Amino acid sequence: GNFPGPLPVVYCGGGATPDELLDCGVAGVLVSANGGQELLSVDQLSEDSQFLSACTNALQAGIQPVPEIVIADATAKSWGDDDMLKLFETLQTCLGNQPAAILITINPESDEQQEVSLPSVPKSLTKQLPILGSVRVTAGENRMGPETARFKKAGFTGTIMRSDCVPGFRLNPDLDLVGQFWSACIADLKSTKSKSFEFRTRNYLESNTALEWAKYQKNVLDSGALGEQNMSVGMTDLDADNGDFKGF
């Protein structure tokens, strides 16, 4: 559509060489430090040969590596401005270049934990490069907006919406519906509201992607495929015909 450009495509996955990605038009590749496992210390980066090699190979092919740093909730809770600056300086030294961006992914202490702790990001760092955070809350009941707002308050430049945000995605991914879901998100992200990390979808139109997705989500919940669900997650109170809506 008319999504503002340029729009760089960043590859997240494995099994593809930098040259293959370059042929596909990819501008960047997500490279997880420590094999995607939780980083206990920033000092581990200089000893992570697999991570450093993947970043070097990407750079040599003309693709920007985007380091993903996975940390535990307890680590995020203890990190402050100095720790984030040390992370940046260590990455810059190890890679020999300033990374295009840094993605911070925080693992919760348990599956029941609703909100992960966030490290503070100094403004002096975000002036040099984007510091992004992974958002993994399931869409619905207006959860995604407040979650991204928390990252902004902590000083993050932006957020990456991971596949965890799509209800039922890992059980039975339907690429058509997933595409429609993110299209609905992007439609609102294009507005000025996205600058303050707030976006909602209106599902009062007769034929609307978000409404169809809401119906699909309710069908999945009612089928029991996701196990026992909290009643607040359902869509039974919506009167879409009269203009009711809920945010992502």
Side-chain angles (χ1 to χ4, degrees):
N2 61 343
F3 191 83
L7 180 63
V9 176
V10 178
Y11 177 76
C12 176
T17 67
D19 288 336
E20 290 173 336
L21 297 178
L22 191 62
D23 290 340
C24 294
V26 168
V29 58
L30 193 68
V31 183
S32 299
N34 198 32
Q37 300 300 308
E38 293 174 357
L39 199 72
L40 301 177
S41 169
V42 172
D43 296 329
Q44 289 178 257
L45 292 172
S46 59
E47 304 171 358
D48 192 343
S49 58
Q50 184 176 357
F51 167 72
L52 297 176
S53 177
C55 290
T56 300
N57 292 339
L59 285 170
Q60 290 176 346
I63 298 176
Q64 287 292 332
V66 178
E68 179 185 26
I69 308 299
V70 182
I71 57 176
D73 187 88
T75 302
K77 193 180 299 183
S78 65
W79 274 15
D81 289 0
D82 291 341
D83 298 285
M84 292 299 295
L85 287 170
K86 181 180 179 181
L87 171 64
F88 166 68
E89 292 167 357
T90 302
L91 282 170
Q92 190 173 29
T93 300
C94 291
L95 301 179
N97 291 278
Q98 177 176 302
I102 299 175
L103 175 63
I104 306 295
T105 299
I106 302 153
N107 288 336
E109 294 180 354
S110 66
D111 294 337
E112 289 73 29
Q113 184 176 351
Q114 297 296 317
E115 293 184 349
V116 294
S117 302
L118 300 178
S120 62
V121 180
K123 289 185 178 179
S124 60
L125 183 55
T126 56
K127 289 180 179 179
Q128 300 185 62
L129 80 168
I131 305 297
L132 310 174
S134 289
V135 169
R136 298 187 292 181
V137 297
T138 304
E141 295 293 329
N142 202 31
R143 283 185 285 265
M144 289 175 68
E147 182 67 3
T148 53
R150 288 202 314 119
F151 280 85
K152 181 187 177 184
K153 186 177 181 180
F156 285 76
T157 311
T159 56
I160 300 296
M161 307 297 181
R162 308 304 288 264
S163 60
D164 310 68
C165 296
V166 185
F169 173 74
R170 297 190 184 281
L171 292 177
N172 184 26
D174 184 316
L175 295 183
D176 286 337
L177 284 171
V178 170
Q180 293 172 17
F181 173 83
W182 289 120
S183 293
C185 291
I186 290 174
D188 274 330
L189 284 170
K190 288 190 298 183
S191 73
T192 54
K193 290 183 178 181
S194 66
K195 296 179 182 178
S196 60
F197 289 83
E198 297 174 358
F199 56 96
R200 297 193 300 180
T201 178
R202 298 171 178 80
N203 56 4
Y204 51 76
L205 299 179
E206 181 177 350
S207 178
N208 185 281
T209 298
L211 177 57
E212 294 305 314
W213 177 261
K215 292 177 180 178
Y216 174 77
Q217 180 186 7
K218 183 177 184 301
N219 289 338
V220 172
L221 293 172
D222 291 345
S223 72
L226 301 180
E228 288 292 323
Q229 300 292 321
N230 187 299
M231 288 302 293
S232 65
V233 179
M235 299 293 182
T236 54
D237 296 329
L238 282 177
D239 186 1
D241 293 336
N242 291 320
D244 286 355
F245 66 88
K246 291 189 179 181
F248 282 105

